[in-house]
Amino acid sequence: MRVFFDQVWQELRAGLANAARCPQHPEFPCVYTLARLVPNDIVEITEDEVAVRSHDTYRIRRIPRERFQELWDALASAGSARFRTGNNGSVVGAIYVRCLSIRVAESGRNEIRLK
């Protein structure tokens, strides 16, 4: 499973880098959360984390690779996964749906599934 996540992580980061630009901050790619459609600027993408700035708070949050892997592991084992809106769950779920749409789809409020 770890080897496959390495590929998923690479695809996610490429998808983020190529995401549509924020209308208010065109220097950054932007991902909207699923339920509330809150814009999140992607301010940095590294091998180990993704830094996002929510338009709700304008604070920068660093989301480690491990957080993305936790959600992927849940998806891979059950075919779907629910996430909490806290702990960056909303933006991580949105990144999966928006940037890995060939593999992942939204399946309800705070839930995603494998295609």
Side-chain angles (χ1 to χ4, degrees):
M1 192 79 67
R2 171 83 177 161
V3 173
F4 191 66
F5 178 73
D6 289 343
Q7 179 182 343
V8 167
W9 180 238
Q10 184 177 359
E11 291 173 13
L12 275 177
R13 289 181 304 131
L16 282 172
N18 293 311
R21 297 294 172 172
C22 176
Q24 296 165 338
H25 310 106
E27 65 274 24
F28 297 114
C30 186
V31 173
Y32 290 79
T33 58
L34 301 175
R36 294 186 41 229
L37 299 177
V38 174
N40 288 270
D41 298 328
I42 307 304
V43 297
E44 185 177 23
I45 304 164
T46 71
E47 184 68 32
D48 299 320
E49 67 184 14
V50 174
V52 298
R53 180 178 58 203
S54 170
H55 283 216
D56 268 354
T57 64
Y58 285 98
R59 289 183 320 178
I60 294 177
R61 296 171 297 165
R62 298 193 172 278
I63 305 171
R65 170 191 170 120
E66 291 78 19
R67 180 68 182 100
F68 289 90
Q69 185 160 8
E70 288 170 8
L71 191 55
W72 181 257
D73 290 346
L75 272 171
S77 67
S80 66
R82 294 190 60 78
F83 51 86
R84 292 177 294 143
T85 54
N87 193 25
N88 301 315
S90 295
V91 73
V92 172
I95 288 170
Y96 269 104
V97 170
R98 311 265 190 239
C99 297
L100 205 61
S101 61
I102 62 168
R103 298 185 194 276
V104 179
E106 183 177 9
S107 65
R109 185 173 176 90
N110 299 330
E111 187 172 354
I112 59 178
R113 65 173 171 77
L114 290 175
K115 287 187 173 180

